[in-house]
Amino acid sequence: MNLIDFRTYKKLKEDSFLTEKVIPKTVLNSHHFKGLVSSLILEKTKSGRGFRYKISKPAEFENFFKTLFPEDIEVKDKSDNVRKFRNSKVQKTVSKPIFMLRGFEIIKVNDNQVNLEDYTNKFQLFACNADKIEAKQICIVENLDTFLVAEKLLGKNFVFLHKYGRIGKESLGCLSANQLLVFVDYDFNGLEEFLRIKEVFEFAQLYIPENYDELFQKYSQSLKGNKAEMTNRIKQSSDNNVIKIRESIIRNNRFLEQQYWKYD
């Protein structure tokens, strides 16, 4: 069952009938709907130039509805999806983003001071379900393995941040910083992530090593098998660093992963 099924059957329950033209084909052709008709719980009758389906056995239909949709509730999380649809992924849910942080400074998380150096030294990282993260300099790192050792390349002045799952505009709204550096793979996915971040933080900068061309020659790999495509946002970007990486990828049909530096 999905949201379309729920809305259709709920409307049918409220109005007692629906015309055939307003019923989505996925519902109309489903074995559940056909079963309701064959069992005469729904009665198909002529209506103008078409047909309509009327509930002829209200008690049986009510039992059917409660069986398929155990609780008619507002969906806030995956648990609510299970309770309402018996499927955790049916309806999109909104939840607080989970961030992993590393660094050597005192920062603020949800208005509480956190000695990040202490957590980094003892446990390698600090994880939080945050509404707000405040730091002077933040570096967003795309890949987890690079995030865990990023200070060896970029130094200890940054607070390194890695998000569990894709980082979107809503989760970016949790961050407050004076400087924002973005360290991603040098492919179309990485460029797209940087530009998505830059739409929220205009001052965001894409990190590119000074010897990028040399590293590209040594460690880049073929785009074959890489499913990422150049979006219009990448094509139309006037950011100098984006242009540099974009042209490098197009010209060579190759890309460089951010893990290059571990082997350099």
Side-chain angles (χ1 to χ4, degrees):
M1 288 292 112
N2 57 38
L3 191 58
I4 293 175
D5 294 306
F6 173 76
R7 287 174 175 170
T8 302
Y9 288 122
K10 186 174 183 180
K11 182 67 173 173
L12 182 57
K13 178 183 174 182
E14 292 171 346
D15 296 349
S16 297
F17 74 91
L18 288 178
T19 59
E20 189 174 58
K21 66 180 181 180
V22 303
I23 301 174
K25 289 185 178 180
T26 54
V27 176
L28 198 63
N29 296 327
S30 70
H31 70 276
H32 289 292
F33 193 87
K34 289 179 180 179
L36 292 172
V37 176
S38 64
S39 62
L40 302 180
I41 295 174
L42 293 182
E43 181 183 359
K44 182 178 181 180
T45 58
K46 189 72 177 175
S47 176
R49 295 183 179 181
F51 295 91
R52 74 175 188 170
Y53 292 88
K54 180 182 178 181
I55 297 176
S56 58
K57 298 179 180 180
E60 285 84 346
F61 184 84
E62 181 67 22
N63 184 58
F64 161 82
F65 188 86
K66 286 184 176 180
T67 300
L68 264 65
F69 308 105
E71 296 185 54
D72 186 2
I73 57 174
E74 180 185 358
V75 172
K76 296 180 180 179
D77 55 31
K78 291 182 181 295
S79 295
D80 290 342
N81 266 328
V82 173
R83 291 169 61 193
K84 185 170 183 175
F85 302 108
R86 299 177 181 268
N87 187 330
S88 66
K89 300 179 178 63
V90 168
Q91 188 171 331
K92 184 178 179 181
T93 60
V94 178
S95 58
K96 290 182 182 179
I98 296 176
F99 294 103
M100 286 169 268
L101 302 163
R102 301 182 81 253
F104 304 88
E105 298 182 0
I106 294 176
I107 64 172
K108 278 190 176 182
V109 177
N110 296 342
D111 294 324
N112 297 303
Q113 286 195 341
V114 175
N115 187 340
L116 198 54
E117 181 174 13
D118 190 45
Y119 284 95
T120 301
N121 289 335
K122 290 180 179 178
F123 309 108
Q124 287 293 299
L125 58 83
F126 172 80
C128 57
N129 194 211
D131 288 314
K132 189 175 184 181
I133 297 173
E134 300 173 73
K136 293 178 181 179
Q137 296 174 293
I138 293 178
C139 177
I140 297 175
V141 186
E142 179 180 3
N143 297 320
L144 180 59
D145 53 349
T146 306
F147 158 76
L148 290 172
V149 289
E151 73 275 8
K152 294 180 181 179
L153 175 67
L154 298 173
K156 295 185 176 182
N157 292 329
F158 283 99
V159 169
F160 299 101
L161 180 148
H162 176 79
K163 182 180 177 292
Y164 176 77
R166 179 179 175 179
I167 191 163
K169 290 184 178 180
E170 289 183 359
S171 53
L172 287 169
C174 300
L175 308 182
S176 176
N178 297 326
Q179 181 182 355
L180 191 68
L181 190 66
V182 182
F183 186 20
V184 292
D185 287 332
Y186 303 103
D187 62 1
F188 292 138
N189 274 339
L191 293 180
E192 179 67 14
E193 179 160 315
F194 165 68
L195 290 173
R196 190 167 61 248
I197 294 170
K198 196 172 178 64
E199 286 186 354
V200 178
F201 296 97
E202 294 183 2
F203 57 86
Q205 295 293 317
L206 177 65
Y207 172 73
I208 299 181
E210 293 182 1
N211 58 338
Y212 170 81
D213 292 330
E214 177 185 344
L215 293 167
F216 187 91
Q217 292 299 319
K218 292 175 67 175
Y219 301 121
S220 66
Q221 59 178 293
S222 172
L223 275 179
K224 186 177 180 180
N226 186 310
K227 298 180 181 180
E229 298 181 358
M230 182 165 56
T231 63
N232 286 332
R233 183 155 39 191
I234 297 173
K235 291 178 183 177
Q236 297 167 5
S237 175
S238 59
D239 183 281
N240 290 332
N241 284 336
V242 172
I243 293 173
K244 175 181 174 67
I245 302 304
R246 180 183 69 200
E247 297 305 315
S248 174
I249 296 171
I250 295 172
R251 184 171 58 253
N252 298 284
N253 200 37
R254 301 178 70 84
F255 72 99
L256 178 67
E257 293 180 300
Q258 68 173 189
Q259 289 93 336
Y260 68 84
W261 66 274
K262 292 182 67 176
Y263 309 102
D264 185 50

